[in-house]
Amino acid sequence: MRIMGFPLGKSRRKEGRDKLDWTPVWISVRTAGVSILITFFLGILAAWMVVSIRSERVRMVCDGIFTLPLVLPPTVMGFFLLYLFGVKRPLGRFFLEYFQVKIAFSWQATVLAAVVMSFPLMYRSARSAFEQVDPNLTAAARTLGMGEWVIFRKVLLANAMPGILGGGVLAFARGLGEFGATAMIAGNIAGRTRTLPMAVYSEVAAGNMEEACGYAGVMVAISFGAILLMNGAAWQAGRRWRG
């Protein structure tokens, strides 16, 4: 028996299956990969915009809006996303009518949930990195006649790169492990929206602890590998900019 795609009890039989179903692994890796590409650049641009705002009140409001998904429960953010991107809701109907793309309960919904939930981590990490750059460097660049876009690329971004890459690590891990918002807007459809956290939940709910341990182990391995890889990249970037 299932309710909203989630199995109850031991209704699922193994049917002689000895191997782990790797579909959730592929869905999670693809979702986290696409979401970090989006979140990485959006977070950097949002951080630069907020740092560049002169009004303290406007900066506080923008910071609160960008940070809100970090403090709200994931299920609440998932509810808001479902309310906006449902088939009969404004944005969901727009994408369906003009682009023939159904957002809710599709793979695109897993990416959307991962982007929304991981964005605050990327944004705040990038903003902290930008704020730690010596203001005298940007002032000197302006006296040399550099434009704001050149200053952003050659001064701010260059000096803040280690912190930005660290934010990328956190954002990738958050997107990989997203559960609550994904459950609300994407559901738990096998082969389509069942990510690794969903697979762990489904196997535990069905009483298949060995499969749940397998999925959990795969998730730990991917997350740890990503952390090692991106921390190495951040270390190399820090050496290059300092050297």
Side-chain angles (χ1 to χ4, degrees), residues 64-162:
I65 294 173
F66 292 149
T67 311
L68 193 59
L70 185 64
V71 296
L72 283 177
T75 51
V76 175
M77 287 305 305
F79 167 76
F80 288 144
L81 292 176
L82 184 61
Y83 189 84
L84 292 173
F85 290 93
V87 177
K88 296 183 179 180
R89 296 299 175 178
L91 291 177
R93 188 166 56 244
F94 171 80
F95 279 99
L96 188 60
E97 290 181 358
Y98 292 96
F99 300 100
Q100 287 74 51
V101 176
K102 180 185 176 184
I103 301 296
F105 303 103
S106 65
W107 176 76
Q108 289 83 353
T110 66
V111 175
L112 177 63
V115 168
V116 170
M117 298 307 300
S118 63
F119 171 82
L121 293 174
M122 186 67 229
Y123 156 73
R124 294 200 68 85
S125 297
R127 180 183 174 183
S128 297
F130 286 151
E131 290 176 341
Q132 290 175 6
V133 176
D134 189 351
N136 293 326
L137 295 176
T138 57
R142 290 190 179 94
T143 59
L144 294 175
M146 291 186 181
E148 292 300 319
W149 177 245
V150 177
I151 294 174
F152 169 72
R153 288 190 296 109
K154 294 188 176 182
V155 179
L156 277 177
L157 197 60
N159 288 275
M161 187 55 65

Side-chain angles (χ1 to χ4, degrees), residues 142-241:
R142 290 190 179 94
T143 59
L144 294 175
M146 291 186 181
E148 292 300 319
W149 177 245
V150 177
I151 294 174
F152 169 72
R153 288 190 296 109
K154 294 188 176 182
V155 179
L156 277 177
L157 197 60
N159 288 275
M161 187 55 65
I164 289 174
L165 292 179
V169 174
L170 297 176
F172 178 84
R174 185 67 182 87
L176 186 69
E178 168 50 36
F179 178 82
T182 303
M184 292 293 292
I185 190 173
N188 186 27
I189 306 172
R192 292 181 57 191
T193 65
R194 180 171 293 174
T195 58
L196 277 171
M198 292 289 185
V200 173
Y201 178 88
S202 298
E203 298 297 347
V204 171
N208 302 323
M209 300 304 295
E210 292 184 2
E211 286 83 353
C213 288
Y215 286 128
V218 171
M219 191 168 181
V220 170
I222 294 175
S223 300
F224 189 69
I227 290 173
L228 290 180
L229 181 63
M230 298 190 73
N231 278 345
W235 181 74
Q236 290 291 344
R239 283 189 60 187
R240 184 169 65 253
W241 296 122

